[in-house]
Amino acid sequence: MQKPNMAVTGDETDEETDLAPSHMAAATGDMPTYQIRAPTTALPQGVVMAASPGSLHSPQQLAEEATRKRELRLMKNREAARECRRKKKEYVKCLENRVAVLENQNKTLIEELKALKDLYCHKAE
């Protein structure tokens, strides 16, 4: 069984809608075409349709929102910078410790080399 063709008028809302037969002929010629119409009843007096949330802000509210976002971004940036400085200090401290270890190792190897040279020179005599 075929479904009737539907024509959309652009007047649709989420409220209850009516299906009314269209005066136009169906594309197939054997099935009537229906149009979706919005109900004919208007909103009661004093009831206002809400607009999208973004369009309700005044310029002052937009400025306050921008200021709040900027302060939040700056606060996050300060925290990230603080963490970066902490990590850098830790890294530098590790490098300084490594330098100290390598200097001690180098000193020990130089002393060992000197001792071996002295031992070799005395045996040659």
Side-chain angles (χ1 to χ4, degrees), residues 48-88:
V48 178
M49 296 280 293
S52 65
S55 65
L56 295 177
H57 296 301
S58 69
Q60 182 181 2
Q61 288 173 322
L62 292 174
E64 289 172 358
E65 179 72 10
T67 301
R68 186 188 65 77
K69 284 184 178 181
R70 180 180 182 273
E71 288 177 3
L72 182 64
R73 180 176 43 85
L74 291 174
M75 185 178 70
K76 286 181 179 180
N77 184 266
R78 277 191 291 271
E79 188 62 36
R82 185 178 298 120
E83 180 68 13
C84 184
R85 288 189 297 270
R86 184 192 65 76
K87 285 183 178 181
K88 183 178 178 182

PDB file of all heavy atoms in Angstrom, residues 48-88:
ATOM      1  N   VAL A  48       3.911  34.618  25.244  1.00  0.00           N
ATOM      2  CA  VAL A  48       4.933  35.013  24.284  1.00  0.00           C
ATOM      3  C   VAL A  48       5.790  33.803  23.973  1.00  0.00           C
ATOM      4  O   VAL A  48       6.165  33.063  24.872  1.00  0.00           O
ATOM      5  CB  VAL A  48       5.813  36.151  24.867  1.00  0.00           C
ATOM      6  CG1 VAL A  48       6.908  36.535  23.898  1.00  0.00           C
ATOM      7  CG2 VAL A  48       4.946  37.340  25.220  1.00  0.00           C
ATOM      8  N   MET A  49       6.080  33.584  22.717  1.00  0.00           N
ATOM      9  CA  MET A  49       6.980  32.502  22.324  1.00  0.00           C
ATOM     10  C   MET A  49       8.405  32.926  22.676  1.00  0.00           C
ATOM     11  O   MET A  49       8.811  34.047  22.390  1.00  0.00           O
ATOM     12  CB  MET A  49       6.891  32.247  20.813  1.00  0.00           C
ATOM     13  CG  MET A  49       5.551  31.753  20.341  1.00  0.00           C
ATOM     14  SD  MET A  49       5.330  30.010  20.624  1.00  0.00           S
ATOM     15  CE  MET A  49       6.532  29.336  19.514  1.00  0.00           C
ATOM     16  N   ALA A  50       9.160  32.032  23.287  1.00  0.00           N
ATOM     17  CA  ALA A  50      10.536  32.343  23.651  1.00  0.00           C
ATOM     18  C   ALA A  50      11.417  32.247  22.418  1.00  0.00           C
ATOM     19  O   ALA A  50      11.248  31.367  21.588  1.00  0.00           O
ATOM     20  CB  ALA A  50      11.023  31.378  24.718  1.00  0.00           C
ATOM     21  N   ALA A  51      12.361  33.160  22.334  1.00  0.00           N
ATOM     22  CA  ALA A  51      13.323  33.137  21.237  1.00  0.00           C
ATOM     23  C   ALA A  51      14.485  32.235  21.638  1.00  0.00           C
ATOM     24  O   ALA A  51      14.517  31.702  22.746  1.00  0.00           O
ATOM     25  CB  ALA A  51      13.812  34.554  20.962  1.00  0.00           C
ATOM     26  N   SER A  52      15.434  32.080  20.750  1.00  0.00           N
ATOM     27  CA  SER A  52      16.595  31.247  21.076  1.00  0.00           C
ATOM     28  C   SER A  52      17.373  31.902  22.214  1.00  0.00           C
ATOM     29  O   SER A  52      17.391  33.129  22.332  1.00  0.00           O
ATOM     30  CB  SER A  52      17.475  31.073  19.853  1.00  0.00           C
ATOM     31  OG  SER A  52      18.027  32.313  19.474  1.00  0.00           O
ATOM     32  N   PRO A  53      18.046  31.103  23.071  1.00  0.00           N
ATOM     33  CA  PRO A  53      18.735  31.655  24.234  1.00  0.00           C
ATOM     34  C   PRO A  53      19.782  32.694  23.875  1.00  0.00           C
ATOM     35  O   PRO A  53      20.006  33.633  24.615  1.00  0.00           O
ATOM     36  CB  PRO A  53      19.394  30.434  24.870  1.00  0.00           C
ATOM     37  CG  PRO A  53      18.665  29.258  24.344  1.00  0.00           C
ATOM     38  CD  PRO A  53      18.118  29.654  23.014  1.00  0.00           C
ATOM     39  N   GLY A  54      20.431  32.567  22.739  1.00  0.00           N
ATOM     40  CA  GLY A  54      21.475  33.512  22.369  1.00  0.00           C
ATOM     41  C   GLY A  54      20.956  34.897  22.057  1.00  0.00           C
ATOM     42  O   GLY A  54      21.682  35.876  22.157  1.00  0.00           O
ATOM     43  N   SER A  55      19.703  35.028  21.667  1.00  0.00           N
ATOM     44  CA  SER A  55      19.187  36.335  21.262  1.00  0.00           C
ATOM     45  C   SER A  55      18.598  37.124  22.423  1.00  0.00           C
ATOM     46  O   SER A  55      18.180  38.243  22.231  1.00  0.00           O
ATOM     47  CB  SER A  55      18.131  36.150  20.176  1.00  0.00           C
ATOM     48  OG  SER A  55      17.020  35.454  20.715  1.00  0.00           O
ATOM     49  N   LEU A  56      18.566  36.560  23.614  1.00  0.00           N
ATOM     50  CA  LEU A  56      17.963  37.247  24.752  1.00  0.00           C
ATOM     51  C   LEU A  56      18.955  38.112  25.528  1.00  0.00           C
ATOM     52  O   LEU A  56      18.569  38.784  26.459  1.00  0.00           O
ATOM     53  CB  LEU A  56      17.330  36.229  25.714  1.00  0.00           C
ATOM     54  CG  LEU A  56      16.143  35.453  25.159  1.00  0.00           C
ATOM     55  CD1 LEU A  56      15.665  34.446  26.176  1.00  0.00           C
ATOM     56  CD2 LEU A  56      15.023  36.399  24.787  1.00  0.00           C
ATOM     57  N   HIS A  57      20.239  38.072  25.167  1.00  0.00           N
ATOM     58  CA  HIS A  57      21.243  38.805  25.929  1.00  0.00           C
ATOM     59  C   HIS A  57      21.310  40.260  25.487  1.00  0.00           C
ATOM     60  O   HIS A  57      21.313  40.566  24.307  1.00  0.00           O
ATOM     61  CB  HIS A  57      22.622  38.176  25.752  1.00  0.00           C
ATOM     62  CG  HIS A  57      22.697  36.784  26.309  1.00  0.00           C
ATOM     63  ND1 HIS A  57      22.442  36.488  27.624  1.00  0.00           N
ATOM     64  CD2 HIS A  57      23.006  35.602  25.726  1.00  0.00           C
ATOM     65  CE1 HIS A  57      22.591  35.198  27.828  1.00  0.00           C
ATOM     66  NE2 HIS A  57      22.920  34.630  26.689  1.00  0.00           N
ATOM     67  N   SER A  58      21.399  41.133  26.475  1.00  0.00           N
ATOM     68  CA  SER A  58      21.590  42.543  26.175  1.00  0.00           C
ATOM     69  C   SER A  58      23.079  42.781  25.941  1.00  0.00           C
ATOM     70  O   SER A  58      23.904  41.941  26.285  1.00  0.00           O
ATOM     71  CB  SER A  58      21.099  43.387  27.355  1.00  0.00           C
ATOM     72  OG  SER A  58      21.961  43.209  28.467  1.00  0.00           O
ATOM     73  N   PRO A  59      23.442  43.929  25.400  1.00  0.00           N
ATOM     74  CA  PRO A  59      24.874  44.220  25.198  1.00  0.00           C
ATOM     75  C   PRO A  59      25.658  44.167  26.508  1.00  0.00           C
ATOM     76  O   PRO A  59      26.797  43.725  26.530  1.00  0.00           O
ATOM     77  CB  PRO A  59      24.875  45.627  24.611  1.00  0.00           C
ATOM     78  CG  PRO A  59      23.543  45.746  23.936  1.00  0.00           C
ATOM     79  CD  PRO A  59      22.597  44.940  24.790  1.00  0.00           C
ATOM     80  N   GLN A  60      25.028  44.603  27.603  1.00  0.00           N
ATOM     81  CA  GLN A  60      25.706  44.561  28.900  1.00  0.00           C
ATOM     82  C   GLN A  60      25.960  43.117  29.320  1.00  0.00           C
ATOM     83  O   GLN A  60      27.043  42.779  29.804  1.00  0.00           O
ATOM     84  CB  GLN A  60      24.874  45.274  29.960  1.00  0.00           C
ATOM     85  CG  GLN A  60      25.565  45.303  31.321  1.00  0.00           C
ATOM     86  CD  GLN A  60      24.715  45.988  32.386  1.00  0.00           C
ATOM     87  OE1 GLN A  60      23.605  46.400  32.101  1.00  0.00           O
ATOM     88  NE2 GLN A  60      25.254  46.095  33.579  1.00  0.00           N
ATOM     89  N   GLN A  61      24.972  42.239  29.117  1.00  0.00           N
ATOM     90  CA  GLN A  61      25.146  40.831  29.466  1.00  0.00           C
ATOM     91  C   GLN A  61      26.226  40.190  28.603  1.00  0.00           C
ATOM     92  O   GLN A  61      27.017  39.389  29.088  1.00  0.00           O
ATOM     93  CB  GLN A  61      23.831  40.066  29.297  1.00  0.00           C
ATOM     94  CG  GLN A  61      22.796  40.399  30.354  1.00  0.00           C
ATOM     95  CD  GLN A  61      21.453  39.758  30.050  1.00  0.00           C
ATOM     96  OE1 GLN A  61      21.057  39.681  28.893  1.00  0.00           O
ATOM     97  NE2 GLN A  61      20.777  39.297  31.095  1.00  0.00           N
ATOM     98  N   LEU A  62      26.269  40.558  27.334  1.00  0.00           N
ATOM     99  CA  LEU A  62      27.301  40.031  26.442  1.00  0.00           C
ATOM    100  C   LEU A  62      28.689  40.480  26.900  1.00  0.00           C
ATOM    101  O   LEU A  62      29.638  39.700  26.879  1.00  0.00           O
ATOM    102  CB  LEU A  62      27.046  40.462  25.003  1.00  0.00           C
ATOM    103  CG  LEU A  62      25.812  39.844  24.332  1.00  0.00           C
ATOM    104  CD1 LEU A  62      25.585  40.471  22.965  1.00  0.00           C
ATOM    105  CD2 LEU A  62      25.974  38.342  24.217  1.00  0.00           C
ATOM    106  N   ALA A  63      28.802  41.759  27.312  1.00  0.00           N
ATOM    107  CA  ALA A  63      30.086  42.278  27.795  1.00  0.00           C
ATOM    108  C   ALA A  63      30.501  41.565  29.081  1.00  0.00           C
ATOM    109  O   ALA A  63      31.672  41.207  29.251  1.00  0.00           O
ATOM    110  CB  ALA A  63      29.986  43.784  28.028  1.00  0.00           C
ATOM    111  N   GLU A  64      29.533  41.343  29.984  1.00  0.00           N
ATOM    112  CA  GLU A  64      29.839  40.640  31.231  1.00  0.00           C
ATOM    113  C   GLU A  64      30.270  39.205  30.952  1.00  0.00           C
ATOM    114  O   GLU A  64      31.198  38.690  31.579  1.00  0.00           O
ATOM    115  CB  GLU A  64      28.627  40.653  32.156  1.00  0.00           C
ATOM    116  CG  GLU A  64      28.329  42.003  32.751  1.00  0.00           C
ATOM    117  CD  GLU A  64      27.005  42.042  33.504  1.00  0.00           C
ATOM    118  OE1 GLU A  64      26.291  41.015  33.525  1.00  0.00           O
ATOM    119  OE2 GLU A  64      26.690  43.107  34.053  1.00  0.00           O
ATOM    120  N   GLU A  65      29.602  38.558  30.015  1.00  0.00           N
ATOM    121  CA  GLU A  65      29.954  37.182  29.637  1.00  0.00           C
ATOM    122  C   GLU A  65      31.361  37.141  29.043  1.00  0.00           C
ATOM    123  O   GLU A  65      32.153  36.259  29.358  1.00  0.00           O
ATOM    124  CB  GLU A  65      28.926  36.639  28.638  1.00  0.00           C
ATOM    125  CG  GLU A  65      29.198  35.249  28.159  1.00  0.00           C
ATOM    126  CD  GLU A  65      28.938  34.180  29.208  1.00  0.00           C
ATOM    127  OE1 GLU A  65      28.373  34.482  30.272  1.00  0.00           O
ATOM    128  OE2 GLU A  65      29.328  33.029  28.953  1.00  0.00           O
ATOM    129  N   ALA A  66      31.685  38.105  28.185  1.00  0.00           N
ATOM    130  CA  ALA A  66      33.020  38.164  27.581  1.00  0.00           C
ATOM    131  C   ALA A  66      34.078  38.400  28.661  1.00  0.00           C
ATOM    132  O   ALA A  66      35.141  37.769  28.643  1.00  0.00           O
ATOM    133  CB  ALA A  66      33.076  39.274  26.531  1.00  0.00           C
ATOM    134  N   THR A  67      33.772  39.280  29.619  1.00  0.00           N
ATOM    135  CA  THR A  67      34.704  39.547  30.715  1.00  0.00           C
ATOM    136  C   THR A  67      34.900  38.307  31.568  1.00  0.00           C
ATOM    137  O   THR A  67      36.028  37.965  31.929  1.00  0.00           O
ATOM    138  CB  THR A  67      34.171  40.706  31.592  1.00  0.00           C
ATOM    139  OG1 THR A  67      34.022  41.860  30.768  1.00  0.00           O
ATOM    140  CG2 THR A  67      35.120  41.007  32.732  1.00  0.00           C
ATOM    141  N   ARG A  68      33.804  37.604  31.855  1.00  0.00           N
ATOM    142  CA  ARG A  68      33.895  36.385  32.657  1.00  0.00           C
ATOM    143  C   ARG A  68      34.737  35.329  31.941  1.00  0.00           C
ATOM    144  O   ARG A  68      35.609  34.701  32.540  1.00  0.00           O
ATOM    145  CB  ARG A  68      32.494  35.844  32.938  1.00  0.00           C
ATOM    146  CG  ARG A  68      32.465  34.658  33.897  1.00  0.00           C
ATOM    147  CD  ARG A  68      31.084  34.045  33.998  1.00  0.00           C
ATOM    148  NE  ARG A  68      30.631  33.454  32.752  1.00  0.00           N
ATOM    149  CZ  ARG A  68      31.050  32.278  32.273  1.00  0.00           C
ATOM    150  NH1 ARG A  68      31.944  31.580  32.928  1.00  0.00           N
ATOM    151  NH2 ARG A  68      30.581  31.808  31.142  1.00  0.00           N
ATOM    152  N   LYS A  69      34.497  35.159  30.646  1.00  0.00           N
ATOM    153  CA  LYS A  69      35.265  34.186  29.874  1.00  0.00           C
ATOM    154  C   LYS A  69      36.745  34.560  29.835  1.00  0.00           C
ATOM    155  O   LYS A  69      37.613  33.701  29.946  1.00  0.00           O
ATOM    156  CB  LYS A  69      34.717  34.075  28.448  1.00  0.00           C
ATOM    157  CG  LYS A  69      33.439  33.287  28.351  1.00  0.00           C
ATOM    158  CD  LYS A  69      33.010  33.144  26.908  1.00  0.00           C
ATOM    159  CE  LYS A  69      31.749  32.313  26.794  1.00  0.00           C
ATOM    160  NZ  LYS A  69      31.341  32.145  25.387  1.00  0.00           N
ATOM    161  N   ARG A  70      37.029  35.851  29.687  1.00  0.00           N
ATOM    162  CA  ARG A  70      38.419  36.319  29.637  1.00  0.00           C
ATOM    163  C   ARG A  70      39.117  36.047  30.969  1.00  0.00           C
ATOM    164  O   ARG A  70      40.242  35.539  31.001  1.00  0.00           O
ATOM    165  CB  ARG A  70      38.459  37.810  29.316  1.00  0.00           C
ATOM    166  CG  ARG A  70      39.862  38.381  29.245  1.00  0.00           C
ATOM    167  CD  ARG A  70      39.833  39.877  28.914  1.00  0.00           C
ATOM    168  NE  ARG A  70      41.165  40.402  28.808  1.00  0.00           N
ATOM    169  CZ  ARG A  70      41.868  40.861  29.836  1.00  0.00           C
ATOM    170  NH1 ARG A  70      41.352  40.870  31.048  1.00  0.00           N
ATOM    171  NH2 ARG A  70      43.097  41.316  29.658  1.00  0.00           N
ATOM    172  N   GLU A  71      38.435  36.367  32.072  1.00  0.00           N
ATOM    173  CA  GLU A  71      39.030  36.134  33.394  1.00  0.00           C
ATOM    174  C   GLU A  71      39.251  34.650  33.647  1.00  0.00           C
ATOM    175  O   GLU A  71      40.279  34.259  34.208  1.00  0.00           O
ATOM    176  CB  GLU A  71      38.163  36.754  34.480  1.00  0.00           C
ATOM    177  CG  GLU A  71      38.230  38.275  34.489  1.00  0.00           C
ATOM    178  CD  GLU A  71      37.317  38.904  35.521  1.00  0.00           C
ATOM    179  OE1 GLU A  71      36.660  38.163  36.287  1.00  0.00           O
ATOM    180  OE2 GLU A  71      37.263  40.141  35.566  1.00  0.00           O
ATOM    181  N   LEU A  72      38.313  33.823  33.212  1.00  0.00           N
ATOM    182  CA  LEU A  72      38.475  32.376  33.351  1.00  0.00           C
ATOM    183  C   LEU A  72      39.675  31.889  32.538  1.00  0.00           C
ATOM    184  O   LEU A  72      40.490  31.096  33.011  1.00  0.00           O
ATOM    185  CB  LEU A  72      37.203  31.666  32.899  1.00  0.00           C
ATOM    186  CG  LEU A  72      37.200  30.143  33.024  1.00  0.00           C
ATOM    187  CD1 LEU A  72      37.300  29.729  34.496  1.00  0.00           C
ATOM    188  CD2 LEU A  72      35.940  29.564  32.409  1.00  0.00           C
ATOM    189  N   ARG A  73      39.796  32.401  31.311  1.00  0.00           N
ATOM    190  CA  ARG A  73      40.922  32.023  30.454  1.00  0.00           C
ATOM    191  C   ARG A  73      42.241  32.468  31.070  1.00  0.00           C
ATOM    192  O   ARG A  73      43.223  31.705  31.098  1.00  0.00           O
ATOM    193  CB  ARG A  73      40.744  32.654  29.067  1.00  0.00           C
ATOM    194  CG  ARG A  73      41.845  32.334  28.095  1.00  0.00           C
ATOM    195  CD  ARG A  73      41.573  32.913  26.710  1.00  0.00           C
ATOM    196  NE  ARG A  73      41.062  34.265  26.701  1.00  0.00           N
ATOM    197  CZ  ARG A  73      41.823  35.360  26.748  1.00  0.00           C
ATOM    198  NH1 ARG A  73      43.118  35.268  26.799  1.00  0.00           N
ATOM    199  NH2 ARG A  73      41.264  36.556  26.724  1.00  0.00           N
ATOM    200  N   LEU A  74      42.294  33.699  31.603  1.00  0.00           N
ATOM    201  CA  LEU A  74      43.515  34.204  32.238  1.00  0.00           C
ATOM    202  C   LEU A  74      43.868  33.375  33.472  1.00  0.00           C
ATOM    203  O   LEU A  74      45.047  33.072  33.712  1.00  0.00           O
ATOM    204  CB  LEU A  74      43.362  35.680  32.612  1.00  0.00           C
ATOM    205  CG  LEU A  74      43.301  36.655  31.435  1.00  0.00           C
ATOM    206  CD1 LEU A  74      43.011  38.067  31.930  1.00  0.00           C
ATOM    207  CD2 LEU A  74      44.597  36.619  30.646  1.00  0.00           C
ATOM    208  N   MET A  75      42.850  32.997  34.258  1.00  0.00           N
ATOM    209  CA  MET A  75      43.103  32.196  35.452  1.00  0.00           C
ATOM    210  C   MET A  75      43.685  30.828  35.060  1.00  0.00           C
ATOM    211  O   MET A  75      44.650  30.359  35.651  1.00  0.00           O
ATOM    212  CB  MET A  75      41.802  32.012  36.238  1.00  0.00           C
ATOM    213  CG  MET A  75      41.980  31.287  37.554  1.00  0.00           C
ATOM    214  SD  MET A  75      40.442  31.143  38.484  1.00  0.00           S
ATOM    215  CE  MET A  75      39.570  29.972  37.469  1.00  0.00           C
ATOM    216  N   LYS A  76      43.099  30.197  34.039  1.00  0.00           N
ATOM    217  CA  LYS A  76      43.617  28.910  33.568  1.00  0.00           C
ATOM    218  C   LYS A  76      45.036  29.065  33.044  1.00  0.00           C
ATOM    219  O   LYS A  76      45.894  28.200  33.270  1.00  0.00           O
ATOM    220  CB  LYS A  76      42.719  28.335  32.473  1.00  0.00           C
ATOM    221  CG  LYS A  76      41.412  27.783  32.989  1.00  0.00           C
ATOM    222  CD  LYS A  76      40.600  27.213  31.847  1.00  0.00           C
ATOM    223  CE  LYS A  76      39.290  26.622  32.318  1.00  0.00           C
ATOM    224  NZ  LYS A  76      38.511  26.062  31.203  1.00  0.00           N
ATOM    225  N   ASN A  77      45.301  30.165  32.346  1.00  0.00           N
ATOM    226  CA  ASN A  77      46.637  30.406  31.806  1.00  0.00           C
ATOM    227  C   ASN A  77      47.653  30.596  32.928  1.00  0.00           C
ATOM    228  O   ASN A  77      48.770  30.075  32.842  1.00  0.00           O
ATOM    229  CB  ASN A  77      46.619  31.626  30.880  1.00  0.00           C
ATOM    230  CG  ASN A  77      47.952  31.849  30.226  1.00  0.00           C
ATOM    231  OD1 ASN A  77      48.774  32.620  30.722  1.00  0.00           O
ATOM    232  ND2 ASN A  77      48.177  31.177  29.120  1.00  0.00           N
ATOM    233  N   ARG A  78      47.273  31.329  33.981  1.00  0.00           N
ATOM    234  CA  ARG A  78      48.185  31.517  35.125  1.00  0.00           C
ATOM    235  C   ARG A  78      48.515  30.181  35.778  1.00  0.00           C
ATOM    236  O   ARG A  78      49.661  29.911  36.126  1.00  0.00           O
ATOM    237  CB  ARG A  78      47.559  32.461  36.163  1.00  0.00           C
ATOM    238  CG  ARG A  78      47.758  33.926  35.847  1.00  0.00           C
ATOM    239  CD  ARG A  78      47.367  34.797  37.030  1.00  0.00           C
ATOM    240  NE  ARG A  78      45.934  34.791  37.270  1.00  0.00           N
ATOM    241  CZ  ARG A  78      45.075  35.624  36.710  1.00  0.00           C
ATOM    242  NH1 ARG A  78      45.506  36.544  35.872  1.00  0.00           N
ATOM    243  NH2 ARG A  78      43.790  35.553  36.988  1.00  0.00           N
ATOM    244  N   GLU A  79      47.491  29.349  35.931  1.00  0.00           N
ATOM    245  CA  GLU A  79      47.692  28.029  36.541  1.00  0.00           C
ATOM    246  C   GLU A  79      48.612  27.175  35.663  1.00  0.00           C
ATOM    247  O   GLU A  79      49.509  26.498  36.170  1.00  0.00           O
ATOM    248  CB  GLU A  79      46.342  27.339  36.751  1.00  0.00           C
ATOM    249  CG  GLU A  79      46.418  26.070  37.547  1.00  0.00           C
ATOM    250  CD  GLU A  79      46.935  26.274  38.950  1.00  0.00           C
ATOM    251  OE1 GLU A  79      46.640  27.300  39.581  1.00  0.00           O
ATOM    252  OE2 GLU A  79      47.662  25.375  39.430  1.00  0.00           O
ATOM    253  N   ALA A  80      48.403  27.212  34.367  1.00  0.00           N
ATOM    254  CA  ALA A  80      49.242  26.447  33.443  1.00  0.00           C
ATOM    255  C   ALA A  80      50.682  26.959  33.474  1.00  0.00           C
ATOM    256  O   ALA A  80      51.633  26.161  33.453  1.00  0.00           O
ATOM    257  CB  ALA A  80      48.686  26.525  32.025  1.00  0.00           C
ATOM    258  N   ALA A  81      50.856  28.277  33.544  1.00  0.00           N
ATOM    259  CA  ALA A  81      52.199  28.861  33.610  1.00  0.00           C
ATOM    260  C   ALA A  81      52.893  28.452  34.908  1.00  0.00           C
ATOM    261  O   ALA A  81      54.087  28.125  34.910  1.00  0.00           O
ATOM    262  CB  ALA A  81      52.120  30.383  33.505  1.00  0.00           C
ATOM    263  N   ARG A  82      52.135  28.459  36.018  1.00  0.00           N
ATOM    264  CA  ARG A  82      52.695  28.049  37.318  1.00  0.00           C
ATOM    265  C   ARG A  82      53.170  26.592  37.257  1.00  0.00           C
ATOM    266  O   ARG A  82      54.267  26.257  37.706  1.00  0.00           O
ATOM    267  CB  ARG A  82      51.636  28.223  38.404  1.00  0.00           C
ATOM    268  CG  ARG A  82      52.122  27.940  39.807  1.00  0.00           C
ATOM    269  CD  ARG A  82      51.030  28.169  40.856  1.00  0.00           C
ATOM    270  NE  ARG A  82      50.598  29.554  40.864  1.00  0.00           N
ATOM    271  CZ  ARG A  82      49.347  29.963  40.617  1.00  0.00           C
ATOM    272  NH1 ARG A  82      48.391  29.093  40.363  1.00  0.00           N
ATOM    273  NH2 ARG A  82      49.030  31.229  40.639  1.00  0.00           N
ATOM    274  N   GLU A  83      52.351  25.739  36.648  1.00  0.00           N
ATOM    275  CA  GLU A  83      52.705  24.317  36.512  1.00  0.00           C
ATOM    276  C   GLU A  83      53.927  24.152  35.613  1.00  0.00           C
ATOM    277  O   GLU A  83      54.823  23.346  35.898  1.00  0.00           O
ATOM    278  CB  GLU A  83      51.514  23.537  35.946  1.00  0.00           C
ATOM    279  CG  GLU A  83      51.747  22.072  35.760  1.00  0.00           C
ATOM    280  CD  GLU A  83      51.908  21.310  37.058  1.00  0.00           C
ATOM    281  OE1 GLU A  83      51.601  21.843  38.136  1.00  0.00           O
ATOM    282  OE2 GLU A  83      52.346  20.142  36.993  1.00  0.00           O
ATOM    283  N   CYS A  84      53.997  24.939  34.541  1.00  0.00           N
ATOM    284  CA  CYS A  84      55.136  24.886  33.623  1.00  0.00           C
ATOM    285  C   CYS A  84      56.422  25.297  34.343  1.00  0.00           C
ATOM    286  O   CYS A  84      57.471  24.656  34.173  1.00  0.00           O
ATOM    287  CB  CYS A  84      54.862  25.800  32.426  1.00  0.00           C
ATOM    288  SG  CYS A  84      56.129  25.736  31.161  1.00  0.00           S
ATOM    289  N   ARG A  85      56.359  26.366  35.142  1.00  0.00           N
ATOM    290  CA  ARG A  85      57.548  26.809  35.906  1.00  0.00           C
ATOM    291  C   ARG A  85      57.976  25.750  36.910  1.00  0.00           C
ATOM    292  O   ARG A  85      59.171  25.490  37.090  1.00  0.00           O
ATOM    293  CB  ARG A  85      57.269  28.131  36.602  1.00  0.00           C
ATOM    294  CG  ARG A  85      57.205  29.318  35.666  1.00  0.00           C
ATOM    295  CD  ARG A  85      57.156  30.631  36.418  1.00  0.00           C
ATOM    296  NE  ARG A  85      55.961  30.760  37.234  1.00  0.00           N
ATOM    297  CZ  ARG A  85      54.815  31.294  36.821  1.00  0.00           C
ATOM    298  NH1 ARG A  85      54.704  31.732  35.581  1.00  0.00           N
ATOM    299  NH2 ARG A  85      53.788  31.382  37.625  1.00  0.00           N
ATOM    300  N   ARG A  86      57.009  25.091  37.556  1.00  0.00           N
ATOM    301  CA  ARG A  86      57.333  24.040  38.516  1.00  0.00           C
ATOM    302  C   ARG A  86      58.046  22.876  37.828  1.00  0.00           C
ATOM    303  O   ARG A  86      59.069  22.383  38.315  1.00  0.00           O
ATOM    304  CB  ARG A  86      56.061  23.539  39.204  1.00  0.00           C
ATOM    305  CG  ARG A  86      56.308  22.512  40.299  1.00  0.00           C
ATOM    306  CD  ARG A  86      55.030  21.832  40.759  1.00  0.00           C
ATOM    307  NE  ARG A  86      54.404  21.026  39.732  1.00  0.00           N
ATOM    308  CZ  ARG A  86      54.841  19.812  39.347  1.00  0.00           C
ATOM    309  NH1 ARG A  86      55.900  19.282  39.888  1.00  0.00           N
ATOM    310  NH2 ARG A  86      54.205  19.146  38.400  1.00  0.00           N
ATOM    311  N   LYS A  87      57.527  22.467  36.684  1.00  0.00           N
ATOM    312  CA  LYS A  87      58.152  21.369  35.938  1.00  0.00           C
ATOM    313  C   LYS A  87      59.550  21.754  35.464  1.00  0.00           C
ATOM    314  O   LYS A  87      60.468  20.924  35.473  1.00  0.00           O
ATOM    315  CB  LYS A  87      57.288  20.963  34.740  1.00  0.00           C
ATOM    316  CG  LYS A  87      56.066  20.168  35.111  1.00  0.00           C
ATOM    317  CD  LYS A  87      55.308  19.741  33.875  1.00  0.00           C
ATOM    318  CE  LYS A  87      54.107  18.887  34.233  1.00  0.00           C
ATOM    319  NZ  LYS A  87      53.381  18.445  33.030  1.00  0.00           N
ATOM    320  N   LYS A  88      59.721  23.002  35.036  1.00  0.00           N
ATOM    321  CA  LYS A  88      61.036  23.448  34.578  1.00  0.00           C
ATOM    322  C   LYS A  88      62.036  23.420  35.731  1.00  0.00           C
ATOM    323  O   LYS A  88      63.183  22.979  35.552  1.00  0.00           O
ATOM    324  CB  LYS A  88      60.936  24.858  33.994  1.00  0.00           C
ATOM    325  CG  LYS A  88      62.236  25.367  33.421  1.00  0.00           C
ATOM    326  CD  LYS A  88      62.091  26.741  32.820  1.00  0.00           C
ATOM    327  CE  LYS A  88      63.413  27.239  32.290  1.00  0.00           C
ATOM    328  NZ  LYS A  88      63.308  28.603  31.740  1.00  0.00           N
TER     329      LYS A  88
END
